[in-house]
Amino acid sequence: MEIAQKVSGFLTRFFRKYELGRDEDIFSLGFVNSLFATQLIMFLEKEFDITVEPEDMDLNNFRTINAIVEFVERKKVAINN
C-alpha cells in the first residue's frame, strides 16, 4: 500500500465526517490538537519505520497528506543512504 493511502487511512479515523483532500491543511481546518499530533508522529514512526527527530518538528512537514508523504519519503531515503 502506498504511503498516501496509509496516511489517509490513519487520518480518516479522526476526521470521519470530512473528506480530506491531499493538499488540505489539517492545522488550518482546526482538526489538530497536541494529542492528535503525538498520535500522528507515533503512527508515522511505527508504520514507516522512521524516527521523527526534534529538527523534523516543522509544521510544514505535517500540514497536508502530500506534505506527510514527502516527509516520509525523505526520511526513508536518508535511512537507505
Side-chain angles (χ1 to χ4, degrees):
M1 186 183 302
E2 75 168 283
I3 296 169
Q5 287 176 308
K6 290 180 180 182
V7 171
S8 291
F10 174 80
L11 295 176
T12 298
R13 295 190 321 218
F14 294 91
F15 314 141
R16 288 196 175 113
K17 297 185 191 280
Y18 187 84
E19 184 71 31
L20 186 63
R22 288 181 64 156
D23 281 319
E24 282 190 272
D25 186 333
I26 61 175
F27 293 94
S28 69
L29 291 171
F31 290 140
V32 179
N33 60 33
S34 59
L35 176 59
F36 170 78
T38 301
Q39 290 173 310
L40 175 60
I41 298 302
M42 290 172 44
F43 164 77
L44 295 174
E45 289 184 331
K46 182 178 178 190
E47 185 68 35
F48 301 109
D49 196 29
I50 61 173
T51 301
V52 178
E53 305 289 346
E55 59 269 19
D56 297 325
M57 300 303 284
D58 179 343
L59 289 182
N60 292 324
N61 286 330
F62 308 101
R63 284 192 183 283
T64 67
I65 293 171
N66 286 338
I68 295 168
V69 169
E70 291 170 11
F71 170 73
V72 169
E73 288 172 343
R74 284 193 312 272
K75 293 298 281 187
K76 291 192 92 42
V77 166
I79 291 169
N80 293 325
N81 286 334

